[in-house]
Amino acid sequence: MDTTSTRAHDDVRTAPRALATEAVHAGRDDLARQGLHAPPIDLSTTYPSYDSRGEAARIDAFATTGAEPDGPPVYGRLGNPTVARFETALARLEGTEAAVAFASGMAALSAVLLVRGSMGLRHVVAVRPLYGCSDHLLTAGLLGSEVTWTDPAGVADALRPDTGLVLVESPANPTLAEVDLRAVAHACGSVPLLVDNTFATPVLQRPAEQGARLILHSATKYLGGHGDVLAGVVACDEEFAGRLRQVRFATGGVLHPLAGYLLLRGLSTLPVRVRAASATAAELVRRLAADPRVARVHYPRIGGAMVAFEVYGDPHEVIGAVRLITPAVSLGSVDTLIQHPASISHRIVDADDRRGAGVSDQLLRMSVGLEDVEDLWSDLDQALGRPVRGAGNCATSHTEPAPAH
């Protein structure tokens, strides 16, 4: 069994493959010739080497470019063969040259900010809403960054000579607002556009095809898909990947090999899970939009398994009344989750900023899983309770989308 390289072998690929096929086979192309069917898990933290001069040369090369060391692995903080398989697979799904995995989505975003900050480019232009902790990381300046918040149309005017990054999330957390990624990428000029693609996944959109240079995932969510792994990943070109690897090595935000294995396994069912959950979500949106207890439904034009809706009654009572649906943070699991963003995921965002971004106190966010739609609706129906007197008709909110893929 060959575990001497941190790169998953790609030489058996001879023609483009469909996304569903890539999801199953990417990162595993070398297994058959090794006599393996399942990818191996390499849990080593260090690796023996009797050639210390050669080790020194490889470490010098890594320090210069951040490129993955040739030959056998050196140390778990420089790279791991199991994690590399997941990185290879995710890059193929997103259509980028490389991907770099981290211990969480926030660790991944932090690494991007540190890379740009180390170049003296600490200013960030960002569009709300973002995931609450992403918003807080920028607003609080915890990594020395300075943020200018704007709408998509104002990106070009917000750029400065020291702008290192433009950050958007589409569909956005938690309102599911969509951004025209191609238009924003054009407005960025030479400044890298980072798109948080956690909600859409490469099944629904591939931001690199719209001009984004960096694609961020909280891999904890749909990529893992089972609520049992914490991870983040950035898909990008090889040059930027090298810088991210150097930050990962220096800061220690590495992904555990077992998590890398679980993520690679999760990718194999990603298209099936996303499409099945999206079909159920679309039906729940139809029913919620016709329900007099619901004031507004938010659902992206590209579809997906995330639904947000505002209720006329007390949203906390809905959270407390679900029985099949799990009241919990996070999303993208095989089971359906519901939470109140103003209380949990976006609580850390200033209340005025939160509401200004469309995150009302009546808003509930639901991550639709793989349960039967009738069972989910039965639970929602009883949790919503009786109609509020004087409640009006519901509206369904869409925004102009980026093209779906």
Side-chain angles (χ1 to χ4, degrees):
M1 178 176 67
D2 177 14
T3 61
T4 62
S5 174
T6 60
R7 298 171 185 165
H9 300 281
D10 286 339
D11 53 305
V12 301
R13 283 188 74 203
T14 58
R17 304 190 296 206
L19 184 134
T21 303
E22 289 282 37
V24 173
H25 290 279
R28 304 167 178 84
D29 290 326
D30 64 318
L31 294 180
R33 67 172 174 267
Q34 295 190 55
L36 298 173
H37 184 239
I41 306 176
D42 187 334
L43 295 174
S44 299
T45 57
T46 192
Y47 301 85
S49 173
Y50 295 94
D51 181 8
S52 56
R53 292 185 181 88
E55 291 292 84
R58 294 201 296 150
I59 290 172
D60 286 346
F62 177 83
T64 301
T65 66
E68 294 178 292
D70 291 325
V74 178
Y75 183 58
R77 210 152 26 90
L78 271 81
N80 172 273
T82 306
V83 172
R85 291 182 181 277
F86 163 65
E87 293 172 329
T88 295
L90 193 277
R92 292 249 288 270
L93 292 180
E94 283 289 8
T96 59
E97 293 178 345
V100 183
F102 294 86
S104 70
M106 291 308 301
L109 176 58
S110 296
V112 173
L113 294 174
L114 288 171
V115 166
R116 300 304 280 167
S118 70
M119 302 169 69
L121 302 171
R122 299 184 179 276
H123 179 242
V124 177
V125 175
V127 176
R128 280 191 173 114
L130 297 174
Y131 169 52
C133 288
S134 300
D135 188 309
H136 176 66
L137 181 65
L138 295 175
T139 302
L142 296 177
L143 296 178
S145 58
E146 178 189 349
V147 62
T148 297
W149 296 101
T150 185
D151 57 30
V155 166
D157 291 338
L159 298 178
R160 305 186 329 203
D162 63 338
T163 302
L165 191 69
V166 174
L167 174 57
V168 302
E169 185 174 3
S170 183
N173 186 355
T175 65
L176 304 175
E178 291 171 276
V179 174
D180 184 336
L181 298 181
R182 191 179 300 277
V184 172
H186 179 74
C188 290
S190 62
V191 177
L193 171 63
L194 184 151
V195 176
D196 188 330
N197 203 33
T198 298
F199 277 19
T201 80
V203 177
L204 299 180
Q205 73 180 7
R206 304 201 329 165
E209 296 175 352
Q210 310 304 314
R213 184 177 175 189
L214 308 168
I215 299 95
L216 173 70
H217 287 271
S218 172
T220 307
K221 313 310 194 290
Y222 287 104
L223 303 189
H226 293 76
D228 56 7
V229 60
L230 198 67
V233 64
V234 179
C236 55
D237 57 62
E238 176 57 34
E239 179 185 358
F240 204 95
R243 293 182 178 274
L244 288 174
R245 293 187 197 106
Q246 291 175 319
V247 168
R248 182 177 63 182
F249 173 74
T251 61
V254 296
L255 184 66
H256 192 274
L258 181 57
Y261 173 84
L262 291 172
L263 288 166
L264 184 64
R265 187 174 70 169
L267 288 185
S268 64
T269 61
L270 178 66
V272 176
R273 288 186 285 106
V274 168
R275 288 165 182 155
S278 298
T280 300
E283 174 59 20
L284 292 176
V285 165
R286 186 186 69 79
R287 298 186 189 191
L288 287 166
D291 196 297
R293 298 165 294 184
V294 177
R296 192 174 187 87
V297 179
H298 304 266
Y299 190 64
R301 293 185 184 275
I302 64 170
M306 297 300 300
V307 179
F309 59 98
E310 298 170 54
V311 296
Y312 283 112
D314 187 344
H316 301 285
E317 291 185 2
V318 178
I319 294 291
V322 293
R323 294 295 176 262
L324 175 65
I325 298 169
T326 303
V329 296
S330 202
L331 55 107
S333 185
V334 291
D335 60 320
T336 299
L337 308 176
I338 193 169
Q339 64 111 348
H340 183 240
S343 296
I344 305 181
S345 64
H346 289 70
R347 187 68 180 178
I348 201 168
V349 179
D350 176 80
D352 289 340
D353 291 337
R354 188 171 66 229
R355 294 178 187 123
V359 186
S360 77
D361 292 343
Q362 299 302 114
L363 185 74
L364 294 169
R365 190 195 73 188
M366 184 168 61
S367 167
V368 178
L370 300 181
E371 302 95 337
D372 185 84
V373 66
E374 297 301 336
D375 291 328
L376 290 174
W377 178 249
S378 177
D379 194 35
L380 275 177
D381 185 38
Q382 63 82 26
L384 286 168
R386 295 181 178 178
V388 176
R389 183 177 299 177
N393 294 326
C394 174
T396 302
S397 174
H398 294 284
T399 58
E400 290 303 315
H405 292 272

